[in-house]
Amino acid sequence: MRRKRVPGLAAALTTGLALVLPVLPAAPAAAASPATAPGSSLTLTITPDQPSGSGPRTTVTLECDPPGGTHPRPKEACATLAAADGYFERIAPGSAGCTGLWAPVTVTADGTWGAREVSFTERYSNRGCAAAATGGVFRF
């Protein structure tokens, strides 16, 4: 048995399928990336109690996401705060550098962590203990 060729059959089928298939929207070029979380910006201050004479008042800035500011170790400080979700109270205190020297200081942190306002104040027996208790955030 011999098959007959029907000219234009392929073209007719293609056109017919095009009419039957639904029109699909073009795929988006690239999905938009999620919005970057707002950066964190803190002003950190160490104020010696008077008249202890434990040094001058010191203030630095700490920027996170990306790390920066005038803090001497912004990457480490940001990592410590990130592990505590920006809550100084959640930082696991250490003891390295905390001596028995009595030269009390008050530390403050004011600014934002993401979209949340931060205000932290604590008093320590000296600068070394302030640095140890805050995982190095106040080591400057």
Side-chain angles (χ1 to χ4, degrees), residues 21-112:
L21 293 175
V23 177
L24 298 175
S33 61
T36 305
S40 300
S41 178
L42 298 167
T43 300
L44 308 173
T45 303
I46 301 174
T47 305
D49 288 5
Q50 297 301 327
S52 72
S54 61
R57 176 181 179 169
T58 310
T59 300
V60 299
T61 58
L62 178 63
E63 306 288 331
C64 297
D65 196 25
T70 60
H71 194 286
R73 295 175 193 88
K75 288 181 185 176
E76 294 87 349
C78 289
T80 297
L81 284 167
D85 195 27
Y87 290 95
F88 284 83
E89 300 82 4
R90 294 181 185 170
I91 296 173
S95 61
C98 184
T99 66
L101 173 68
W102 182 251
V105 295
T106 300
V107 301
T108 59
D110 292 298
T112 58

Side-chain angles (χ1 to χ4, degrees), residues 77 99 104 116 125 130 136:
T99 66
R116 183 173 44 83
S125 58

